[in-house]
Amino acid sequence: MTENNTQINNKNNVLQDILSHSSPQNNRKIPPLEKWSPTRIHDFDIFIADNAEWYHEGDKMTRQSLVDLFASVLWGQVGNDGVKRYFLKTPSDMYQIKVFDAPLLINTVDQIEQDDVTWIEFGTTNGDKIVLDDNPLYFKEFIKDVKAEDRLYIDTRHQLTARVGANVLYHLIQMGELSEEGGQTILTLTSGGRTHRVVTEVSHD
């Protein structure tokens, strides 16, 4: 067997390992990643771009169903250096991937009714549903093309972070109320009977 054939087989084995532990395409349940204790960590040539598109070995992954399967085993972990890194996790192995900003991108927002209570529910490009509840929305500075910009995020399952898209932020402003306090702009939202206050201007001092 040639070296190229060996590399191809190894890559296929990695992909098969990940896919075998992902959710079936017709069932978006997230696998029990928190119960898995893999002992091996590998680098894997997958990159999540700023627009939530996935790339494997430099080529865009065009099958959304495949991307969603991979997204179901996404795992975030903060190292001893305080840096959060992202992985595709299986029971025996973790495959570290590169992420431009956040691994999940929120592209929809709705108000849903449950037991006569109104909740704000976000949707990601991978089919996740995130309810605005205990985890707060927060702005954080992000450097893109040497330029600083403030982006809105929310933390969700398995230490993952989801970035709120600009179109969704616009809808949130329509849902809530803006006010000025102490030189800061505050966005006030109501979800699940709770009031959520988001500082919409970040200091760059």
Side-chain angles (χ1 to χ4, degrees), residues 67-139:
V67 170
D68 293 344
L69 283 175
F70 281 151
S72 72
V73 292
L74 271 170
W75 179 265
Q77 189 165 295
V78 178
N80 294 330
D81 56 2
V83 176
K84 183 183 287 188
R85 295 176 176 85
Y86 294 103
F87 305 85
L88 303 180
K89 188 176 184 181
T90 73
S92 59
D93 298 82
M94 290 209 301
Y95 302 94
Q96 185 171 344
I97 65 174
K98 296 180 176 65
V99 178
F100 182 82
D101 181 12
L104 300 176
L105 176 64
I106 291 171
N107 64 342
T108 65
V109 61
D110 293 294
Q111 289 180 306
I112 61 172
E113 297 288 332
Q114 185 174 359
D115 299 327
D116 296 324
V117 178
T118 301
W119 298 84
I120 293 176
E121 182 182 72
F122 301 107
T124 74
T125 56
N126 300 117
D128 288 84
K129 297 298 182 182
I130 304 170
V131 175
L132 180 57
D133 191 1
D134 294 331
N135 290 337
L137 289 162
Y138 60 92
F139 276 89

Side-chain angles (χ1 to χ4, degrees), residues 170-188:
Y170 172 80
H171 288 300
L172 283 175
I173 292 173
Q174 302 304 308
M175 290 179 179
E177 295 182 3
L178 289 174
S179 59
E180 298 288 335
E181 297 181 21
Q184 294 180 321
T185 302
I186 308 295
L187 172 61
T188 301

Side-chain angles (χ1 to χ4, degrees), residues 10 15 23 35 45 50 55 76 87 95 108 128 131 167 201:
N10 288 340
L15 293 173
S23 297
K35 297 180 180 180
D45 194 2
D50 197 34
Y55 291 81
F87 305 85
Y95 302 94
T108 65
D128 288 84
V131 175
N167 62 317
E201 292 183 354

